[in-house]
Amino acid sequence: MEQDLKTELSKHGIFATTFEELYNWGRKNSVWPLTFGLACCAIEMIATTMARYDLARFGAEVFRPSPRQADLMIVSGTVTKKMAPQVVRLYNQMPEPKYVIAMGACAISGGPFRDGYNVLKGIDRYIPVDVHIPGCPPRPEALIHAFMALQEKISAQQLTGESRPRHLKAELPSEFPVPEFGEHGLEPAQNDEVFRNPLKVLQG
Amino acid sequence: MTLPGITLEDIRSRLQAQIPGCQVDLVVNGSPSAQNSLLIDRQHGLAAARVLRQEMQLDFCSNVTAVDWPDRVDADTVKTKQIVDGVEKEIEQTVKTAIPGYLEVVYHLFSMSKKEGPVVIRMRTANRTDDVALPSLTPVWRSAEFQEREAFDLYGIVFDGHPDLRRILMWEGFTDYPMRKDYVPPPDDDLEILRER
């Protein structure tokens, strides 16, 4: 239905929508994050949920202590190599549709600890990330901005057709391999199915 | 940095007098802090620690850390007099001495009862490869337990007599010692490859 027609109809007290819009509107306003913090970014995440910034305005006030009830994983902080398998396992335990926000420099790339022997160089090596927020740590406003970006992404998702999201394509995985502890580091060092290797991207 | 009226020299001579065969050397710190320390030989480390705790009232071990000293060559210029063509001349010679590497563990001791400290003691392993055992001082200072595990984890120092010597930060099955000078991290960094191009 065209937007002009919808506007015209609404002037006459007739509300027209599609099932897809209604469905996405409901989903985007009830994204429940997982109660899960890794480092100092988690403090900002907690501040975001409290009265001053109040993430509840966006329908995300219910932090679920179980991954089975969560829709969103906020990777808030440094992911150590010892913690990375647990993070991937928690992600695997979340039901579809599920989303990931990589919060802060560490979760994106390892940040200031990138050269550390026990620091994962970004969680996007193992699980697909929907929104990246830079910052060290990002302010609560930045997390809210990321959350709104995620809401826009959800409301734009189509339920049918080729461009439908991953969780509606049966052939695409919803669980990702959990890395193993190796003798020198995590094995594999990244999941090539998920990770956009900057070297390969540059080579085309 | 010493106990009231007691210098490191006093502690040193007392340890040598009480423990037969105990070798204690004064390690001089030439920096402005002048925090000198005592190097105790590893065979008598535990006995020396007991004396320090029970008789010197050094009842608190605040910090245990380690240092990796790789193999190095010290070059000293020495002036020698030689007779060249019948004339005595002063000639500068460079004398190179190869010093094999070792691992060193450092303990910072305080006295709560006397409100003094720190007294810094060190112990050294024989080398960096196969003879890396040192006596654990956890039986003397309980607070050393986790920090000795950390030194074991990151430097590979084996503490004999430790009650629970496992890796503490890295996982079981990890074979490297990340804080050693010759540690090379696994090549999982694509940006490093980009930077080199």
Side-chain angles (χ1 to χ4, degrees):
Chain A
M1 188 181 278
E2 282 175 25
Q3 191 61 41
D4 290 347
L5 181 59
K6 265 201 243 179
T7 321
E8 193 58 37
L9 281 172
S10 69
K11 282 175 187 166
H12 296 89
I14 300 167
F15 175 64
T17 186
T18 59
F19 180 73
E20 183 179 283
E21 270 180 32
L22 195 65
Y23 178 69
N24 283 342
W25 172 79
R27 283 199 311 134
K28 81 169 191 182
N29 287 304
S30 62
V31 178
W32 291 356
L34 182 63
T35 314
F36 165 69
L38 288 174
C40 20
C41 280
I43 305 299
E44 297 295 306
M45 180 180 75
I46 294 161
T48 312
T49 65
M50 301 314 291
R52 186 180 177 92
Y53 297 99
D54 200 12
L55 197 63
R57 292 177 292 157
F58 304 90
E61 72 275 23
V62 194
F63 274 68
R64 304 311 296 191
S66 162
R68 301 291 184 200
Q69 301 170 342
D71 309 301
L72 168 66
M73 173 184 256
I74 302 175
V75 183
S76 53
T78 319
V79 187
T80 60
K81 285 180 183 168
K82 207 171 178 182
M83 191 68 183
Q86 278 72 265
V87 175
V88 177
R89 193 168 286 124
L90 280 173
Y91 178 81
N92 286 346
Q93 288 172 350
M94 288 164 60
E96 292 282 7
K98 51 190 172 184
Y99 303 95
V100 176
I101 291 178
M103 181 180 181
C106 293
I108 292 173
S109 68
F113 312 112
R114 186 182 176 85
D115 292 330
Y117 48 85
N118 194 30
V119 175
L120 183 69
K121 295 173 174 68
I123 192 61
D124 55 356
R125 283 171 184 254
Y126 293 117
I127 55 177
V129 174
D130 293 281
V131 186
H132 295 80
I133 332 170
C136 186
R139 285 193 55 83
E141 291 93 326
L143 181 58
I144 289 174
H145 181 77
F147 197 82
M148 291 166 74
L150 181 67
Q151 285 186 321
E152 279 170 29
K153 186 172 181 172
I154 292 173
S155 62
Q157 282 181 340
Q158 295 177 347
L159 301 185
T160 52
E162 259 319 292
S163 56
R164 65 192 192 277
R166 193 198 71 241
H167 69 272
L168 293 175
K169 289 179 179 168
E171 73 276 12
L172 291 184
S174 78
E175 293 186 8
F176 293 89
V178 178
E180 303 269 338
F181 291 135
E183 289 191 352
H184 305 287
L186 288 175
E187 288 169 7
Q190 68 264 330
N191 179 359
D192 288 325
E193 306 270 306
V194 176
F195 183 48
R196 286 179 74 242
N197 189 323
L199 197 62
K200 286 178 186 162
V201 171
L202 271 197
Q203 285 168 345
Chain B
M1 63 144 286
T2 51
L3 305 173
I6 302 175
T7 62
L8 275 186
E9 280 293 339
D10 295 337
I11 298 176
R12 181 187 171 203
S13 47
R14 189 157 170 185
L15 285 177
Q16 281 175 331
Q18 290 205 357
I19 306 160
C22 181
Q23 278 196 345
V24 186
D25 296 307
L26 190 70
V27 180
V28 178
N29 182 345
S31 76
S33 74
Q35 193 174 58
N36 301 339
S37 51
L38 290 175
L39 177 65
I40 301 173
D41 76 304
R42 53 184 177 144
Q43 282 79 20
H44 301 92
L46 191 59
R50 289 224 161 87
V51 171
L52 289 173
R53 165 139 205 177
Q54 285 158 11
E55 298 181 24
M56 306 266 176
Q57 277 90 49
L58 289 164
D59 46 17
F60 177 52
C61 174
S62 80
N63 181 37
V64 182
T65 187
V67 189
D68 178 23
W69 296 96
D71 297 341
R72 67 180 196 270
V73 176
D74 274 10
D76 285 329
T77 44
V78 182
K79 284 181 181 173
T80 50
K81 286 181 179 173
Q82 281 186 343
I83 299 169
V84 182
D85 301 332
V87 187
E88 197 180 56
K89 281 185 178 174
E90 206 169 69
I91 294 174
E92 281 194 359
Q93 277 189 322
T94 318
V95 180
K96 286 185 178 173
T97 35
I99 297 169
Y102 49 85
L103 301 166
E104 186 179 69
V105 68
V106 185
Y107 294 80
H108 286 202
L109 310 175
F110 288 79
S111 175
M112 284 287 161
S113 49
K114 293 183 175 177
K115 297 190 172 29
E116 282 292 335
V119 170
V120 183
I121 63 168
R122 296 162 187 266
M123 287 188 290
R124 287 175 185 171
T125 63
N127 56 37
R128 300 172 70 246
T129 49
D130 55 340
D131 196 357
V132 288
L134 287 177
S136 168
L137 302 190
T138 305
V140 183
W141 293 285
R142 185 68 207 278
S143 57
E145 182 182 345
F146 274 22
Q147 300 190 64
E148 283 182 349
R149 274 178 68 183
E150 195 179 343
F152 164 71
D153 188 358
L154 304 182
Y155 290 88
I157 301 169
V158 178
F159 290 92
D160 289 335
H162 192 283
D164 182 28
L165 195 64
R166 287 178 292 134
R167 283 186 179 269
I168 193 167
L169 178 68
M170 309 305 283
W171 51 88
E172 296 295 319
F174 190 74
T175 53
D176 299 334
Y177 301 112
M179 288 297 277
R180 286 203 189 180
K181 300 276 186 196
D182 50 6
Y183 171 71
V184 181
D188 58 353
D189 195 340
D190 306 296
L191 288 186
E192 291 303 321
I193 304 169
L194 282 181
R195 220 175 281 160
E196 283 164 15
R197 297 167 114 224

